Amino acid sequence: MTGFLQQLLNGLTIGSSYAVIGLGFGLVFGVMRVCNVAHAQFFVLGGYVGFLVGLPFVTLGGLPIAARIGMFVAVVMAAVLFMGLVGLIVERIIVRPLRGTPVMIPFIATAGAATALQYACQLIFGADPVLVPRF
């Protein structure tokens, strides 16, 4: 029974991640009429930002649960703010100048941004997976 509950929790976790990404695609396309191919790379970069911001907190042991929750919220907020800034930059530099053009042109432009973000993350963080430490 424990294995079933663990797999159920795993499925809910992965499914909710897919749902968040799908909602992001739908929201961006519904509002801006742009299929943003770099959407997944934004999530990856946000994860790396959370990893970097959370690293100093890992060495702080024996803290009460309220402090740990506060640190987690701080890490999430830092990642959200940074990714908001990155999204704003991409929108201003890549998407906004292409408004009113056929749908494939912003699609290709965001594919180029996705490739640039992917290789920038690989250059900075390496190609190996990184585990986010527990708080």
Side-chain angles (χ1 to χ4, degrees):
M1 189 66 179
T2 304
F4 173 74
L5 292 177
Q6 182 63 48
Q7 290 303 322
L8 182 67
L9 184 63
N10 290 342
L12 288 173
T13 303
I14 292 171
S16 64
S17 298
Y18 290 156
V20 166
I21 292 172
L23 285 171
F25 272 120
L27 181 66
V28 170
F29 187 77
V31 171
M32 298 175 60
R33 295 289 181 219
V34 171
C35 185
N36 185 6
V37 183
H39 197 73
Q41 279 71 22
F42 288 159
F43 275 89
V44 170
L45 186 58
Y48 276 122
V49 168
F51 171 74
L52 289 177
V53 172
L55 273 180
F57 297 132
V58 174
T59 59
L60 303 174
L63 295 175
I65 191 72
R68 291 178 188 211
I69 291 172
M71 286 187 275
F72 178 76
V73 169
V75 167
V76 169
M77 289 306 297
V80 166
L81 290 173
F82 182 80
M83 290 315 303
L85 180 65
V86 169
L88 181 67
I89 291 169
V90 168
E91 192 271 335
R92 298 286 177 165
I93 293 174
I94 296 173
V95 176
R96 185 169 284 193
L98 299 175
R99 288 242 169 135
T101 60
V103 174
M104 284 305 291
I105 294 174
F107 181 84
I108 294 168
T110 58
T115 303
L117 286 171
Q118 180 179 356
Y119 284 113
C121 285
Q122 186 176 359
L123 181 68
I124 295 168
F125 300 106
D128 295 327
V130 178
L131 292 176
V132 177
R134 295 175 57 179
F135 288 100

